[in-house]
């Protein structure tokens, strides 16, 4: 099927007004045969004749009469596209676009942004929550300006390998936790010697999974732990820990209140805790005014401890 040429719509509307192929062709600055071919091409695209050519002047068929309003609307919409595109572009350019890993989007990011409210402009903000690889892809493709994620000095990421600018804006900890059993002791513990302990672990694409593997992977592998569940999100594992289904290494930023209320307890001693950084990466390219102002404020702010 041929592709619609918008200029055919203009040809059609001129002919619909004049009813005369010669005058319409003259108005459109072309020969009559060329003009007639364009009208035929439009009719072929629609799949129906638009004009009754049996008399003079040519008159609109029922389909042609219906199509007049459609053609006018299509041309008017096409004329508005540059203006509408500019509106979309301006709104997109002025917005702060941030992608955050799931764990940090739950508690840390909202609290951290509240602490910056006085310095933030009135620009709209777009927030995306996803696993680290997809957050990284959003930044490298220019769909977001910033990525917020957990990091560790011993673990490189695609963004660090490609030298994306970043700022350490906070600190967190990965804590091995479980719920308490009836005797008050951890229901699941790395020190358990009588049976294999159920481990609630992260899917490989999780940023936290990368850190655990790089920092303590060999030691964890040596323990009597059986992975019973894998999930991308720390919040999902948190829910399963609270249900008593096993132990997991969870960021303190999402379980601090659970620990304070006694709903979770440590599943191992302090040497199994892993210190984490919280990093904010930015696009390598120049940002909008709002984006550059945001980055300047980030650089002057002290680290936030999610501990």
């Amino acid at each position: 099927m041929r592709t619609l040429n918008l200029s055919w719509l203009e040809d059609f509307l001129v002919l619909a007004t004049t009813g005369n192929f010669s005058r319409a062709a003259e108005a459109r600055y072309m020969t009559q045969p060329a003009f007639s071919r364009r009208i035929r091409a439009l009719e072929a695209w629609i799949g129906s004749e638009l004009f009754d050519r049996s008399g003079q002047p040519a008159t609109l068929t029922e389909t042609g009469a219906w199509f007049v309003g459609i053609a006018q609307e299509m041309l008017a919409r096409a004329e508005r596209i540059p203006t509408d595109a500019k509106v979309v572009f301006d709104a997109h350019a002025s917005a702060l676009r941030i992608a955050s890993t799931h764990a940090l989007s739950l508690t840390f990011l909202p609290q951290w942004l509240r602490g910056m409210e006085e310095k933030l402009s009135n620009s709209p903000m777009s927030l995306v929550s996803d696993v680290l690889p997809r957050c990284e892809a959003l930044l490298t493709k220019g769909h977001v300006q910033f990525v917020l994620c957990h990091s560790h000095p011993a673990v490189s990421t695609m963004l660090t390998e490609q030298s994306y600018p970043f700022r350490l804006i906070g600190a967190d900890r990965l804590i091995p936790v479980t719920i308490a059993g009836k005797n008050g002791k951890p229901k699941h513990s790395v020190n358990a010697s009588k049976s294999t302990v159920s481990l609630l672990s992260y899917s490989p694409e999780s940023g936290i999974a990368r850190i655990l593997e790089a920092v303590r992977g060999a030691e964890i592998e040596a323990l009597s732990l059986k992975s019973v569940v894998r999930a991308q999100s720390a919040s999902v594992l948190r829910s399963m820990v609270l249900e008593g289904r096993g132990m997991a290494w969870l960021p303190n930023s999402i379980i601090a209140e659970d620990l304070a209320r006694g709903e979770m307890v440590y599943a191992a001693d302090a040497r199994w805790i892993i210190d984490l950084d919280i990093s904010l990466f930015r696009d390598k390219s120049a940002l909008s005014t709002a984006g550059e102002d945001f980055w300047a404020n980030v650089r002057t702010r002290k680290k936030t401890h999610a501990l």
Side-chain angles (χ1 to χ4, degrees):
M1 183 176 183
R2 297 187 65 175
T3 302
L4 173 65
N5 185 330
L6 287 178
S7 64
W8 297 345
L9 303 180
E10 296 174 333
D11 298 338
F12 164 76
L13 291 175
V14 171
L15 182 57
T17 301
T18 65
N20 185 285
F21 277 82
S22 296
R23 288 201 300 271
E26 183 178 351
R28 294 293 289 155
Y29 302 100
M30 66 183 76
T31 64
Q32 181 177 333
F35 181 82
S36 296
R37 285 195 297 271
R38 288 162 67 94
I39 295 298
R40 286 294 188 192
L42 176 61
E43 291 176 323
W45 182 80
I46 291 175
S48 177
E49 289 190 349
L50 300 174
F51 294 94
D52 180 354
R53 298 168 173 79
S54 62
Q56 287 294 332
T59 57
L60 291 165
T61 63
E62 290 185 3
T63 302
W66 162 81
F67 190 63
V68 168
I70 301 297
Q72 291 170 337
E73 182 181 346
M74 292 174 71
L75 288 171
R77 184 71 186 94
E79 187 175 356
R80 290 196 305 269
I81 287 174
T83 301
D84 292 348
K86 186 177 186 304
V87 171
V88 173
F89 174 81
D90 289 345
H92 187 68
S94 63
L96 292 173
R97 305 186 307 278
I98 305 173
S100 172
T101 51
H102 290 303
L104 291 173
S105 66
L106 292 173
T107 55
F108 179 85
L109 179 59
Q111 294 170 3
W112 182 72
L113 288 174
R114 278 197 295 271
M116 293 186 67
E117 283 178 349
E118 292 183 1
K119 296 182 178 181
L120 290 176
S121 65
N122 293 323
S123 299
M125 185 175 296
S126 172
L127 303 176
V128 177
S129 178
D130 214 323
V131 292
L132 182 56
R134 287 200 280 271
C135 288
E136 292 173 324
L138 288 172
L139 183 59
T140 59
K141 294 178 181 178
H143 297 314
V144 298
Q145 300 159 307
F146 304 97
V147 164
L148 181 69
C149 61
H150 283 108
S151 60
H152 191 281
V155 183
S156 64
T157 67
M158 181 176 70
L159 298 179
T160 55
E161 290 170 356
Q162 296 184 18
S163 302
Y164 275 79
F166 70 96
R167 179 83 177 174
L168 299 179
I169 65 169
D172 205 348
R173 293 182 296 176
L174 270 181
I175 302 175
V177 291
T178 183
I179 60 170
K182 294 180 180 180
N183 58 2
K185 295 182 179 180
K187 182 176 181 180
H188 305 272
S189 171
V190 299
N191 299 320
S193 57
K194 295 182 179 180
S195 61
T196 301
V197 176
S198 297
L199 174 66
L200 308 175
S201 56
Y202 295 90
S203 302
E205 61 268 28
S206 164
I208 293 178
R210 298 182 191 176
I211 294 172
L212 276 171
E213 176 63 28
V215 179
R216 288 292 178 83
E219 295 170 272
I220 293 174
E221 186 68 25
L223 298 172
S224 295
L225 304 179
K226 179 183 179 182
S227 180
V228 293
V229 171
R230 288 183 182 272
Q232 294 180 350
S233 171
S235 61
V236 173
L237 296 184
R238 170 183 172 271
S239 298
M240 293 184 174
V241 168
L242 290 172
E243 291 172 359
R245 298 182 64 179
M247 64 161 290
W249 268 264
L250 295 175
N252 190 65
S253 54
I254 69 169
I255 61 169
E257 294 183 3
D258 299 322
L259 289 169
R261 290 192 296 262
E263 294 176 1
M264 285 187 187
V265 296
Y266 283 55
D269 56 51
R271 71 187 181 91
W272 289 98
I273 295 174
I274 300 173
D275 291 324
L276 301 175
D277 291 319
I278 299 174
S279 295
L280 184 73
F281 289 85
R282 61 156 287 173
D283 197 342
K284 295 178 183 179
S285 305
L287 305 174
S288 62
T289 300
E292 293 293 355
D293 288 345
F294 178 76
W295 183 249
N297 288 326
V298 168
R299 295 179 65 183
T300 61
R301 192 177 178 195
K302 294 181 179 179
K303 288 175 64 175
T304 298
H305 291 264
L307 306 179

